[in-house]
Coordinates of all heavy atoms in Angstrom, one line a residue:
A347 N -15.8 -5.6 21.4 CA -14.6 -4.9 21.7 C -14.0 -5.5 23.1 O -12.9 -5.7 23.3 CB -14.9 -3.4 21.9
A348 N -15.0 -5.8 24.0 CA -14.6 -6.4 25.2 C -13.9 -7.7 25.1 O -12.9 -8.1 25.6 CB -15.7 -6.6 26.2
S349 N -14.5 -8.5 24.0 CA -13.8 -9.9 23.7 C -12.4 -9.7 23.2 O -11.6 -10.5 23.5 CB -14.7 -10.6 22.7 OG -14.2 -11.8 22.3
A350 N -12.3 -8.7 22.4 CA -10.9 -8.5 21.7 C -9.9 -8.0 22.9 O -8.9 -8.6 23.0 CB -11.0 -7.4 20.7
L351 N -10.4 -7.1 23.8 CA -9.6 -6.6 24.8 C -9.2 -7.8 25.7 O -8.0 -7.9 26.3 CB -10.3 -5.6 25.7 CG -10.5 -4.2 25.0 CD1 -11.4 -3.4 25.7 CD2 -9.1 -3.5 25.0
E352 N -10.2 -8.8 26.0 CA -9.9 -10.0 26.9 C -8.8 -10.8 26.3 O -7.9 -11.2 27.0 CB -11.2 -10.6 27.1 CG -11.3 -11.4 28.3 CD -12.6 -12.0 28.5 OE1 -13.6 -11.3 28.1 OE2 -12.7 -13.2 29.0
Q353 N -8.9 -11.0 25.0 CA -8.0 -11.9 24.3 C -6.5 -11.3 24.2 O -5.6 -12.0 24.1 CB -8.5 -12.2 22.9 CG -9.7 -13.2 22.8 CD -10.2 -13.4 21.5 OE1 -9.6 -14.0 20.7 NE2 -11.5 -12.9 21.3
A354 N -6.6 -10.0 24.2 CA -5.4 -9.2 24.2 C -4.7 -9.0 25.6 O -3.6 -8.5 25.7 CB -5.5 -7.9 23.6
G355 N -5.3 -9.7 26.6 CA -4.8 -9.7 27.9 C -5.1 -8.4 28.7 O -4.6 -8.2 29.9
R356 N -6.0 -7.5 28.2 CA -6.4 -6.2 28.8 C -7.7 -6.5 29.6 O -8.7 -6.0 29.3 CB -6.4 -5.1 27.8 CG -5.1 -4.8 27.1 CD -5.3 -3.9 25.9 NE -5.9 -2.6 26.4 CZ -6.0 -1.5 25.5 NH1 -5.6 -1.7 24.3 NH2 -6.5 -0.5 25.9
H357 N -7.7 -7.4 30.5 CA -8.8 -7.8 31.3 C -9.6 -6.7 32.0 O -10.8 -6.7 32.0 CB -8.4 -9.0 32.3 CG -7.8 -10.1 31.6 ND1 -8.3 -10.8 30.6 CD2 -6.5 -10.6 31.9 CE1 -7.4 -11.8 30.3 NE2 -6.3 -11.6 30.9
Q358 N -8.8 -5.8 32.6 CA -9.6 -4.7 33.3 C -10.3 -3.8 32.4 O -11.4 -3.4 32.7 CB -8.4 -3.8 34.2 CG -9.1 -3.1 35.3 CD -9.6 -4.0 36.4 OE1 -9.0 -4.9 36.8 NE2 -10.9 -3.7 36.7
D359 N -9.6 -3.5 31.2 CA -10.4 -2.8 30.1 C -11.6 -3.4 29.7 O -12.7 -2.9 29.4 CB -9.4 -2.3 29.0 CG -8.4 -1.5 29.4 OD1 -8.5 -0.6 30.3 OD2 -7.2 -1.5 28.8
A360 N -11.6 -4.8 29.5 CA -12.6 -5.5 29.0 C -13.8 -5.4 30.1 O -15.0 -5.4 29.7 CB -12.3 -7.0 28.9
I361 N -13.5 -5.5 31.4 CA -14.4 -5.3 32.5 C -15.1 -4.1 32.4 O -16.4 -3.9 32.5 CB -13.7 -5.6 33.8 CG1 -13.3 -7.1 34.0 CG2 -14.8 -5.2 35.0 CD1 -12.4 -7.4 35.2
T362 N -14.3 -3.0 32.2 CA -14.8 -1.6 32.0 C -15.7 -1.5 30.9 O -16.8 -0.9 30.9 CB -13.7 -0.6 31.9 OG1 -12.9 -0.7 33.1 CG2 -14.3 0.8 31.9
M363 N -15.4 -2.1 29.8 CA -16.3 -2.0 28.5 C -17.6 -2.7 28.8 O -18.6 -2.3 28.3 CB -15.5 -2.7 27.4 CG -16.1 -2.6 26.0 SD -15.9 -1.0 25.4 CE -14.2 -0.9 25.0
C364 N -17.6 -3.8 29.5 CA -18.8 -4.6 29.8 C -19.7 -3.8 30.7 O -21.0 -3.8 30.6 CB -18.5 -6.0 30.4 SG -17.8 -7.1 29.1
E365 N -19.1 -3.1 31.6 CA -19.9 -2.4 32.6 C -20.7 -1.3 31.9 O -21.8 -1.0 32.4 CB -18.8 -1.7 33.6 CG -19.6 -1.2 34.9 CD -20.3 -2.2 35.7 OE1 -19.9 -3.3 35.8 OE2 -21.5 -1.9 36.1
E366 N -20.1 -0.8 30.8 CA -20.9 0.2 30.1 C -22.1 -0.4 29.5 O -23.3 0.3 29.6 CB -20.0 0.8 28.9 CG -20.6 1.9 28.1 CD -20.6 3.2 28.8 OE1 -20.0 3.3 29.8 OE2 -21.3 4.1 28.3
V367 N -22.0 -1.5 29.0 CA -23.3 -2.3 28.5 C -24.2 -2.5 29.6 O -25.5 -2.4 29.4 CB -22.8 -3.6 27.8 CG1 -24.1 -4.3 27.3 CG2 -21.9 -3.4 26.7
I368 N -23.7 -3.1 30.7 CA -24.6 -3.5 31.8 C -25.3 -2.3 32.4 O -26.6 -2.3 32.6 CB -23.7 -4.1 32.9 CG1 -23.2 -5.5 32.4 CG2 -24.6 -4.3 34.1 CD1 -22.2 -6.0 33.4
S369 N -24.7 -1.1 32.5 CA -25.2 0.1 33.2 C -26.3 0.7 32.3 O -27.2 1.2 32.7 CB -24.1 1.1 33.4 OG -23.5 1.6 32.3
R370 N -26.2 0.7 31.0 CA -27.1 1.2 30.0 C -28.3 0.3 29.7 O -29.3 0.8 29.1 CB -26.4 1.6 28.7 CG -25.3 2.8 28.9 CD -24.6 2.9 27.5 NE -23.9 4.1 27.7 CZ -24.1 5.4 27.4 NH1 -25.3 5.7 26.9 NH2 -23.3 6.3 27.6
T371 N -28.2 -1.0 30.0 CA -29.5 -1.8 29.8 C -30.2 -2.1 31.1 O -31.3 -2.7 30.9 CB -29.0 -3.2 29.2 OG1 -27.9 -3.8 29.9 CG2 -28.4 -2.9 27.8
T372 N -29.6 -1.8 32.2 CA -30.2 -2.3 33.5 C -31.7 -1.8 33.6 O -32.6 -2.6 34.0 CB -29.5 -1.8 34.6 OG1 -28.1 -2.6 34.6 CG2 -30.1 -2.1 36.0
D373 N -31.9 -0.6 33.3 CA -33.3 0.1 33.4 C -34.3 -0.4 32.4 O -35.4 0.0 32.4 CB -33.2 1.5 33.6 CG -32.4 2.0 34.8 OD1 -32.3 1.3 35.7 OD2 -31.8 3.1 34.8
L374 N -33.8 -1.1 31.4 CA -34.6 -1.4 30.3 C -35.2 -2.9 30.4 O -35.9 -3.3 29.4 CB -33.8 -1.3 28.9 CG -33.2 0.0 28.7 CD1 -32.4 0.0 27.4 CD2 -34.3 1.1 28.5
I375 N -34.9 -3.6 31.4 CA -35.2 -5.0 31.5 C -36.2 -5.2 32.6 O -36.1 -4.8 33.7 CB -34.0 -5.9 31.9 CG1 -32.9 -5.7 30.8 CG2 -34.4 -7.4 31.8 CD1 -31.6 -6.3 31.1
P376 N -37.4 -5.8 32.3 CA -38.4 -6.0 33.3 C -38.0 -7.2 34.3 O -37.1 -8.0 34.1 CB -39.6 -6.5 32.5 CG -39.1 -7.0 31.3 CD -37.9 -6.3 31.0

Side-chain angles (χ1 to χ4, degrees):
S349 177
L351 288 164
E352 205 174 324
Q353 293 177 65
R356 297 170 59 174
H357 305 300
Q358 201 65 53
D359 290 335
I361 291 169
T362 303
M363 190 72 71
C364 291
E365 193 58 42
E366 185 74 15
V367 176
I368 293 167
S369 63
R370 290 179 178 269
T371 53
T372 294
D373 295 335
L374 303 176
I375 303 170

